[in-house]
Amino acid sequence: MGRCGECQAWGTVEEGGAPAPSAVAPAPVTSRARPITEISVESAEAVPTGVDELDRVLGGGAVPGGVVLLAGEPGVGKSTLLLEVAAMRAAEGPVLYVTGEESAGQVRLRAERLGALSDKLYLAAETSIASLVSHVDAVAPRLLIVDSVQTMVSPDTVGVPGGVTQIRQVAGALIQTAKERGIATVLVGHVTKDGSIAGPRMLEHLVDVVLHFEGERHSQLRLLRAVKNRYGPTDEIGCFELTESGIVGLPDPSGLFLTERTAPVPGTCVTVTLEGRRPLITEVQALVATSPLPAPRRATSGLDTSRVNMILAVLEKRTGMRLANMDVYASTVGGVKLTEPAVDLALAMAAASSNNDVALPTGFIAIGEVGLAGDVRTVTGVRRRVAEAQRLGFTEAVVPKHFGDPVPGIRVHEVEELSEALSRVAKRPRRARASRDED
Ligand SMILES: Nc1ncnc2c1ncn2[C@@H]1O[C@H](COP(=O)(O)OP(=O)(O)OP(=O)(O)O)[C@@H](O)[C@H]1O
Ligand SMILES: [Mg+2]
């Protein structure tokens, strides 16, 4: 600066160095640092919750002192699932279920419906975090369930319940309680309209595991995914069915995401996705129809919109399909969300099948990622996917090149280009069809 901002005098500003960082005085330690080999692991081993599908996602079970955040849309079944877990675990030791959303009576009613009554399952309707800690000290539970973190308040913190300051304080206090006493803790979290967890993003950093519980409003199927997991993999999913008598785990969910029909219909293609290590047979549907609108509609459900647009662009540019004045609807079956590139080929085939009005044969699956050049690229675990399809009675598969040895019981066609795969749904020449009709 040439001129001083304060006295307006020229040439008086002098450069000075930043103050040197001051040394930190050593303070007494809370616990001595020990060689890693001497640290006991027993206290940190996962204990199965009794609900297999949940254990699969958690990576074995609930870890004592570990804090799990279970987030999901209203009514998806968070309280139902946790009440079942609470009842299961109550068989081995006291469990404390703290509800800030319902009265204890309402929770008992639900427990009766689910058959989740147990003498060791303690209920408390409480919204103050300080009282919650007193309950924890009185019950000394092995498992603590807090439904929900947004309804709890810390009495000596300002801010509305569910606000950023309150959630941070409440979560901090709960995590400290869990770690100090070695209690496995599950917090229920609300989600906002766009599906993210309500409250500060920091909440997700604070807890050890973040689980998302998802499902369509009109379907019974519920999927549990780990978004973050300090104790296990994040690529596993748990499948559940929400029934009147509670939540039932589905250890073999393949086939749920298929429509039941006997005759093949144009516009659908079956594929196999890998959710974690588990192959899932799913169906992709597309409807391509002439649009009355100047800007045709592109609507998707369960699929990534930009990915669908990309595949449509590849179809248009590389295979000469005319889609510019067509409405395109693309969706999955059963409310499942497919984000893997491996579904590209099935999506392309479903769109082409609908556009050409040619159905794929029954027992047919397609697996592969589609590149911008119209190439079909390989994806992870192709063999595992094909083997799963074969197990479920599929007889024909279109897969990327370099598949390797054949799999008994299923015919495998390797393709390099999208156009090779699309020859299966090519428009039949009119004359050929007419002559076949005469036959
Ligand atoms: N009597 C009943 N019979 C069958 N299903 C029921 C019955 N009562 C509730 N349900 C189902 O249970 C679901 C509610 O589950 P739950 O209360 O566990 O959801 P939640 O995720 O805890 O919701 P919230 O965020 O509002 O607390 C509802 O979607 C409903 O379909
Ligand atoms: Mg609830």
Side-chain angles (χ1 to χ4, degrees):
M1 291 246 281
R3 193 177 187 185
C4 172
E6 207 136 287
C7 65
Q8 310 298 325
W10 288 94
T12 55
V13 178
E14 270 177 31
E15 189 181 332
S22 59
V24 175
V29 295
T30 43
S31 69
R32 197 170 51 86
R34 281 179 296 158
I36 194 166
T37 46
E38 285 176 17
I39 290 169
S40 106
V41 290
E42 263 151 45
S43 61
E45 257 169 37
V47 185
T49 59
V51 177
D52 292 344
E53 291 294 296
L54 176 64
D55 290 343
R56 180 202 291 273
V57 178
L58 287 175
V63 176
V67 180
V68 178
L69 177 67
L70 177 72
E73 305 244 331
V76 75
K78 303 178 292 294
S79 308
T80 309
L81 175 66
L82 291 179
L83 200 55
E84 298 226 335
V85 172
M88 289 274 189
R89 291 284 281 130
E92 281 138 47
V95 173
L96 177 61
Y97 189 108
V98 181
T99 171
E101 306 203 322
E102 294 158 287
S103 70
Q106 285 168 326
V107 178
R108 154 124 207 202
L109 263 184
R110 177 178 301 130
E112 272 173 15
R113 174 163 61 87
L114 309 179
L117 290 177
S118 164
D119 288 339
K120 292 270 181 61
L121 172 52
Y122 292 83
L123 270 186
E126 200 69 72
T127 52
S128 153
I129 189 79
S131 321
L132 187 150
V133 175
S134 310
H135 283 300
V136 169
D137 284 337
V139 175
R142 295 258 208 99
L143 174 69
L144 167 68
I145 292 170
V146 181
D147 191 358
S148 64
V149 67
Q150 276 86 2
T151 50
M152 294 294 148
V153 283
S154 167
D156 20 86
T157 309
V158 290
V160 288
V164 172
T165 342
Q166 280 288 359
I167 291 188
R168 189 177 304 173
Q169 190 66 27
V170 165
L174 285 170
I175 289 164
Q176 201 185 349
T177 310
K179 301 269 183 247
E180 270 173 9
R181 296 167 173 77
I183 304 169
T185 303
V186 183
L187 313 179
V188 171
H190 292 169
V191 295
T192 56
K193 217 186 257 169
D194 65 348
S196 56
I197 298 166
R201 189 72 212 238
M202 205 190 64
L203 186 57
E204 287 169 68
H205 286 294
L206 285 175
V207 298
D208 299 308
V209 181
V210 179
L211 303 180
H212 271 274
F213 202 33
E214 4 176 281
E216 291 269 312
R217 198 160 282 273
H218 38 262
S219 115
Q220 303 286 74
L221 188 80
R222 299 289 181 265
L223 294 181
L224 187 66
R225 276 174 211 281
V227 183
K228 160 184 172 174
N229 193 349
R230 286 187 181 148
Y231 313 119
T234 52
D235 55 2
E236 278 294 359
I237 64 161
C239 293
F240 297 91
E241 192 176 2
L242 187 67
T243 66
E244 186 163 351
S245 55
I247 282 204
V248 189
L250 297 171
D252 191 10
S254 262
L256 278 177
F257 307 112
L258 299 177
T259 35
E260 283 167 29
R261 76 170 84 78
T262 42
V265 172
T268 74
C269 184
V270 179
T271 187
V272 191
T273 62
L274 266 191
E275 296 283 357
R277 271 149 280 165
R278 190 193 305 208
L280 266 190
I281 305 273
T282 56
E283 185 174 320
V284 179
Q285 301 195 328
L287 180 69
V288 179
T290 316
S291 178
L293 305 168
R297 285 178 67 95
R298 299 277 191 265
T300 63
S301 149
L303 292 158
D304 180 27
T305 309
S306 56
R307 197 87 201 166
V308 172
N309 285 331
M310 189 201 101
I311 300 293
L312 296 179
V314 171
L315 280 173
E316 178 123 33
K317 182 82 181 172
R318 305 285 169 200
T319 70
M321 245 169 78
R322 298 243 168 274
L323 296 169
N325 52 359
M326 303 295 232
D327 284 336
V328 180
Y329 303 87
S331 85
T332 57
V333 172
V336 69
K337 280 202 184 72
L338 300 179
T339 49
E340 244 198 324
V343 302
D344 288 356
L345 187 58
L347 173 63
M349 294 197 75
S353 157
S354 174
N355 186 53
N356 299 346
D357 216 7
V358 179
L360 285 159
T362 31
F364 179 94
I365 61 155
I367 301 164
E369 176 181 348
V370 172
L372 289 180
D375 49 325
V376 177
R377 280 193 241 136
T378 196
V379 290
T380 51
V382 183
R383 290 195 80 81
R384 191 131 39 94
R385 299 175 201 242
V386 171
E388 171 73 0
Q390 192 273 330
R391 184 178 76 85
L392 289 165
F394 287 83
T395 51
E396 196 176 356
V398 168
V399 298
K401 266 262 181 287
H402 311 300
F403 178 75
D405 300 332
V407 171
I410 184 163
R411 256 177 304 142
V412 173
H413 309 280
E414 295 180 25
V415 294
E416 211 163 1
E417 296 289 325
L418 182 56
S419 47
E420 289 171 55
L422 292 190
S423 62
R424 296 303 303 258
V425 284
K427 246 185 206 151
R428 296 195 194 105
R430 281 200 174 274
R431 206 177 299 140
R433 203 191 290 166
S435 71
R436 206 177 307 135
D437 289 348
E438 280 158 23
D439 294 344

